[in-house]
Amino acid sequence: MSLPRPVLVSTLALTLLGTSASALIVPMSGWVPVEGDASVWTDSSGACLMREERTGQAFPALASQPEALAFAAKLRVQLSKTMGPVVIQPVDRAGFWAVLAAYDYKQGGATYKVSQLYLNDAGLLRTVTGSSAEGEKGACVNAMREFIRYLAN
């Protein structure tokens, strides 16, 4: 099964905040870069896909949960315009906060479950996005979501 790259999803969010540029991610064991692109990774079955992007857009550190909640509210409004229902959650990252968004993305008659983390990286926006086909039950799905929720930073 071939999953879409979450480029369009990330591009939508980045239009709110700036333009994108690739960055390196070191994902879980067994994942490999897609077509040699070190910012896009898939698991060995091809059922899950992760992408990391940095932007040139300034993105302040979210130093408190209220700051993260304020950003999350704005992000929810913007993503909901094109993605439908969006679940947003501030996540603590040992001294700073990030925002995790989850939503469905439809492309070519298929629906994909997307998890997307918004982080401050030296004053710039960085996103880590994971996607899998709706109904996918492979081991990669939970591993990818846990990586994005708890470990990506």
Side-chain angles (χ1 to χ4, degrees), residues 25-28 31 48-50 89 91-93 98 100-102 113-117 119 128-132 138-153:
I25 185 171
V26 180
M28 291 81 65
W31 285 58
C48 296
L49 188 75
M50 274 197 303
Q89 176 184 17
V91 291
D92 187 5
R93 286 291 191 263
L100 181 63
K113 298 292 187 182
V114 176
S115 296
Q116 190 167 45
L117 186 67
L119 299 154
V128 178
T129 306
S131 63
S132 60
C140 68
V141 175
N142 285 336
M144 175 183 66
R145 289 180 185 158
E146 287 179 9
F147 174 81
I148 292 170
R149 167 64 178 94
Y150 296 108
L151 301 174
N153 61 20

Side-chain angles (χ1 to χ4, degrees), residues 87-103:
V87 176
I88 303 282
Q89 176 184 17
V91 291
D92 187 5
R93 286 291 191 263
F96 69 96
W97 288 80
V99 173
L100 181 63
Y103 49 87

